[in-house]
Amino acid sequence: MGNIIYRRKKDSKENNGSRSRRIGGRSQRKMAAEEELLHRQALSMALHQHQLSQRFDGSMSRRIGSNSSRRHTDPLANNEKKVVESLENIKFRRIVLIHGEGFGAWCWYKTIAQLEEVGLLPTAMDLTGSGIDLTDTNTVTTLAEYSKPLIQYLEALPEDEKVILVGHSSGGACLSYALENFPEKISKAIFLCATMVSNGQRPFDVFAEELGSAERFMQESEFLIYGNGKDEPPTGFMFEKQLMKGLYFNQSPTKDVALAMFTMRPTPLGPIMEKLSLSPEKYGSGRRFYIQTLDDRALSPDVQEKLVRENPPEGVYKIKGSDHCPFFSKHQSLHKILVEIVQIP
């Protein structure tokens, strides 16, 4: 699957100036109406995803549009029956999807639909202060607080049940935290272009090559949020929209980018600045897998390669042409890899 190329028609000069102004006015009103509609759809989707996250199984059973039209069929259609049959004997079918910084459960809407179609049981959840969780981001100061919805989910699992965790971007730190504290409840942990840190590292350290040292970022970044006042340490951060588009969504469909622009929230700073304590006996005994995104501008392929080299997982997969959000830009490829990892004995 190649990259999606967007073309913009060159502006043409019209002699009829008044006609152009009338068309321009109508276009602006139309754009404003479409923007408002997208906003309402984003909020509705976020609410629906929050409702899904309160249950141990999903309810989205219909396919949400494939991004391919070759031969008038879904690219997975021919193999779907075989995939469903091969998954029938899989013991652990529950997959918990953990979003990254600024995102929420809403970002997994394509992935949820595809996983359910092959008989798996996906659950997406909002971390504390994310998505439509009402907690003030500025009050979330530790990784334990940030990961609380995931921890509560794992604590409520039956003794004989295990889940597969998928963590995106800084959500990888939540996976590491869960592996250290609940190794017996996690079948596999899949890091999706994520902060797969080593013992004693901070999640932020993974982004240091792009953002500079943590100390410098805390002192100089223009994206910091001071929830307790300028005289107090910063409590969160959020990138400006245009920068965010370039960092996260350089290959994502326009509609998904619009959804994200309306729905993303500030990221609490404390959790990503916290050093993780990871032991060989607990974290080290977990089955880890890493999915690299090869057109990623937020976490470069070189940095991702360094992560898997310094902290080797059981398996490494790569998605060509994917930006930092493969659940938008390459959701079919991501789905195929997730199903493949699920089937590994």
Side-chain angles (χ1 to χ4, degrees), residues 239-256:
F239 295 122
E240 183 268 336
K241 284 188 176 181
Q242 284 304 119
L243 176 60
M244 200 182 300
K245 288 180 181 180
L247 282 175
Y248 291 97
F249 309 112
N250 49 294
Q251 294 296 339
S252 293
T254 304
K255 289 183 179 180
D256 289 326

Side-chain angles (χ1 to χ4, degrees), residues 109-124:
Y109 76 97
K110 294 179 182 179
T111 303
I112 286 176
Q114 290 175 309
L115 292 175
E116 286 188 338
E117 284 190 351
V118 295
L120 296 172
L121 303 172
T123 295

Side-chain angles (χ1 to χ4, degrees), residues 160-276:
D160 60 345
E161 184 67 82
K162 290 187 178 184
V163 297
I164 297 169
L165 299 184
V166 181
H168 171 243
S169 198
S170 65
C174 300
L175 264 62
S176 298
Y177 182 81
L179 279 169
E180 179 66 22
N181 289 278
F182 297 93
E184 74 285 354
K185 294 193 175 184
I186 300 168
S187 171
K188 300 181 181 85
I190 304 171
F191 293 78
L192 177 60
C193 50
T195 52
M196 187 175 65
V197 298
S198 301
N199 180 45
Q201 269 192 315
R202 296 172 290 198
F204 184 90
D205 294 339
V206 175
F207 295 96
E209 188 168 311
E210 279 82 8
L211 300 177
S213 69
E215 290 73 23
R216 182 177 178 183
F217 184 81
M218 292 280 283
Q219 293 173 0
E220 301 177 7
S221 176
E222 60 185 296
F223 307 111
L224 294 172
I225 297 169
Y226 294 84
N228 298 323
K230 271 287 186 178
D231 295 333
E232 298 295 326
T235 53
F237 74 94
M238 187 170 187
F239 295 122
E240 183 268 336
K241 284 188 176 181
Q242 284 304 119
L243 176 60
M244 200 182 300
K245 288 180 181 180
L247 282 175
Y248 291 97
F249 309 112
N250 49 294
Q251 294 296 339
S252 293
T254 304
K255 289 183 179 180
D256 289 326
V257 178
L259 170 66
M261 291 300 98
F262 281 120
T263 317
M264 291 184 77
R265 289 178 60 184
T267 301
L269 202 55
I272 67 169
M273 292 297 179
E274 183 178 319
K275 291 183 179 180
L276 272 74

